[in-house]
Amino acid sequence: MKMKILIADKFPEQYVQKLIDHDLEVIYQPKLGENDLIEAAKEVDILVVRSTKVNEATINNSKQLNLIIRAGAGVNNINIAAANRKGIYVSNCPGKNSIAVAELAIGLMIALDRRIPDNVIDFRNGVWNKAEYSKAEGLYGKTLAIVGYGNIGKEVATRALALGLNVYVKDISRIEGYGIKDFSEFDQTLPKADIISIHLPATPETKGLFDDKLFSYMKNGALLINTSRHEVINEESLIKAVKEKNIRVALDVFKGEPEGKDGEVSSQLRELKNVYVTHHIGASTQQAQNAVAEEAIKIILDFIHSGVIAHWVNRAKVTDSHFQLVVKHYDKPGVLASIMDVLRQGDINIEEVENIIFDGGLAATCTMKLKIAATDEMLSAIKNNPNVLSVSHVAI
Ligand code: 3PG
């Protein structure tokens, strides 16, 4: 039976064809919305989405869903807790659209400084205003604070350095890169920053990070760019800072972003002249979409042919294992089962297990991570198996 793949968002058609050429059944329905997925994903093995929400009902209603691929970076549109409960893999395509997002962030910096959108709007309305639009600051030598230094933050830093910006980065876990300075506290760096560019994922830790306090550290007239997730900014705090501190803002993401690809939009931000909003297009260059599609196909083919889950995001980072049992054994039917039976009788849960075969296929080594220690009696019972070559048991 052919494996069934539903692609529920826009995906370059030549890559849809590539999957079909691999003898897979591909359903390409780029216009599906969150609620359509509940039925549409019911009978598929693999679901590929971009920003379309994969909610708990879709996951619970699915009969054979095994892998959800986010054709992009952020996985906050997928209910991962629900996927965990059903043992459904979730993967993403990290780094593949970073350059596109970085290019937009740099474009928005220049757009804010030169007020390019306002220039264009006035021109379209038959207004000439060289006098007003000649009042730009220029970016060279200005201080840029990049908040979030993952794949995208790094690409922004490279481009910003080329523009002659003085680059600071803030990352929760890592600081690296030539010519980039660390700052550990927002209260010390935000007051120095002429431009702030946010590149954070939406997580419980980053939700509402940019609140009244952080805006209070910013310079009057600073430029703020957010091409990451709207959740990291408290919208009321942002509006207050725009009105009271003349903060000028460019956003590719905002609260209440429509689910569909076209239609009407409503947001209180539309009233603010100092706020530019683009249509969540950060990742939407052909180059980026091809790179993402290429990666998504690679994930699918690896999964089908070798069972390996590339960029598997919902694999447990820590398990409840405290002991490691390594058993070398003859690679014969029933040997593993008999070892595991000893553990079962002792009511020991195996958290993780890997069995690897030596060249020639005669011997194998099985590594088991155990929740609690195996007793001496259990270890003797395993050792006494004539098909077992050696046993090691250590605390980890
Ligand atoms: C991402 O997380 O990769 C970006 O937000 C892109 O979203 P999109 O695939 O809906 O354009």
Side-chain angles (χ1 to χ4, degrees):
M1 219 169 65
K2 282 187 185 181
M3 188 137 332
K4 243 192 223 175
I5 303 170
L6 170 63
I7 303 178
D9 260 307
K10 203 165 175 311
F11 200 78
E13 302 223 2
Q14 71 272 28
Y15 291 92
V16 175
Q17 188 56 46
K18 266 195 187 182
L19 287 171
I20 297 169
D21 294 345
H22 275 91
D23 205 26
L24 298 164
E25 184 178 337
V26 184
I27 308 158
Y28 180 46
Q29 295 189 333
K31 292 209 161 149
L32 293 179
E34 175 179 0
N35 292 326
D36 306 319
L37 279 188
I38 301 170
E39 262 317 294
K42 199 169 171 182
E43 314 273 352
V44 305
D45 303 282
I46 299 175
L47 170 62
V48 180
V49 288
R50 286 179 59 172
S51 285
T52 300
K53 286 202 175 83
V54 183
N55 63 25
E56 187 167 14
T58 293
I59 287 168
N60 288 347
N61 202 42
S62 67
K63 288 195 189 147
Q64 61 204 53
L65 190 57
N66 207 354
L67 169 64
I68 303 169
I69 300 176
R70 196 329 181 171
V75 288
N76 56 305
N77 54 319
I78 299 165
N79 190 323
I80 292 184
N84 289 342
R85 285 192 287 273
K86 281 191 79 172
I88 296 172
Y89 305 109
V90 178
S91 280
N92 66 347
C93 303
K96 298 296 165 188
N97 57 27
S98 307
I99 289 176
V101 180
E103 287 175 353
L104 181 67
I106 296 286
L108 291 174
M109 281 174 213
I110 300 172
L112 279 171
D113 183 49
R114 297 298 187 93
R115 289 183 286 167
I116 296 171
D118 298 311
N119 274 258
V120 176
I121 291 167
D122 275 355
F123 179 76
R124 291 223 170 112
N125 290 329
V127 176
W128 183 248
N129 206 348
K130 180 166 166 129
E132 177 58 27
Y133 294 126
S134 296
K135 294 175 195 159
E137 269 290 322
L139 299 183
Y140 180 76
K142 297 280 173 186
T143 295
L144 165 69
I146 296 175
V147 181
Y149 196 53
N151 291 320
I152 299 170
K154 284 182 186 143
E155 297 294 351
V156 173
T158 308
R159 284 154 184 78
L161 289 169
L163 289 175
L165 284 154
N166 188 23
V167 177
Y168 284 73
V169 302
K170 166 77 178 159
D171 187 77
I172 297 154
S173 54
R174 289 161 295 153
I175 305 294
E176 58 190 38
Y178 176 72
I180 296 163
K181 301 167 195 74
D182 172 25
F183 66 82
S184 46
E185 298 301 334
F186 283 114
D187 61 345
Q188 285 158 38
T189 301
L190 291 186
K192 285 190 242 165
D194 303 294
I195 310 161
I196 298 145
S197 192
I198 307 175
H199 302 286
L200 294 169
T203 66
E205 293 77 32
T206 61
K207 192 173 167 41
L209 179 71
F210 282 77
D211 57 3
D212 285 350
K213 189 163 98 200
L214 253 59
F215 279 107
S216 78
Y217 299 146
M218 289 181 201
K219 277 185 184 177
N220 281 344
L223 310 183
L224 175 70
I225 291 107
N226 185 16
T227 52
S228 62
R229 288 293 180 264
H230 79 81
E231 287 88 345
V232 304
I233 297 182
N234 177 312
E235 194 176 270
E236 296 310 318
S237 305
L238 176 138
I239 291 172
K240 210 161 96 191
V242 167
K243 290 183 176 159
E244 292 173 6
K245 297 185 75 171
N246 195 30
I247 303 282
R248 293 170 50 214
V249 183
L251 307 172
D252 191 41
V253 286
F254 66 98
K255 198 167 141 192
E257 180 183 321
E259 194 197 6
K261 313 289 180 278
D262 48 30
E264 291 194 355
V265 63
S266 79
S267 162
Q268 49 183 344
L269 301 175
R270 288 180 56 223
E271 314 300 322
L272 301 172
K273 210 170 174 325
N274 278 352
V275 178
Y276 297 152
V277 178
T278 50
H279 300 216
H280 199 151
I281 52 161
S284 299
T285 64
Q286 203 52 56
Q287 294 175 341
Q289 286 316 298
N290 289 348
V292 164
E294 196 90 56
E295 192 69 5
I297 290 179
K298 194 172 169 304
I299 295 171
I300 292 171
L301 297 180
D302 279 356
F303 169 62
I304 293 172
H305 296 135
S306 64
V308 169
I309 315 294
H311 311 305
W312 178 11
V313 300
N314 59 339
R315 180 180 178 158
K317 310 282 176 293
V318 280
T319 65
D320 199 11
S321 41
H322 303 283
F323 294 87
Q324 179 171 284
L325 174 64
V326 180
V327 181
K328 284 190 183 161
H329 59 93
Y330 289 121
D331 184 35
K332 291 183 185 169
V335 181
L336 273 182
S338 67
I339 296 166
M340 288 179 184
D341 194 46
V342 173
L343 298 172
R344 184 191 62 78
Q345 285 176 34
D347 204 22
I348 293 183
N349 195 44
I350 304 172
E351 296 287 311
E352 289 178 284
V353 63
E354 184 180 41
N355 192 52
I356 297 174
I357 299 174
F358 285 83
D359 237 354
L362 219 62
T365 181
C366 181
T367 304
M368 287 160 275
K369 302 275 171 65
L370 310 180
K371 199 165 177 167
I372 55 170
T375 61
D376 288 347
E377 291 72 37
M378 289 175 198
L379 296 176
S380 301
I382 294 170
K383 268 183 207 152
N384 290 339
N385 184 327
N387 285 311
V388 167
L389 296 162
S390 69
V391 175
S392 105
H393 180 254
V394 289
I396 49 175

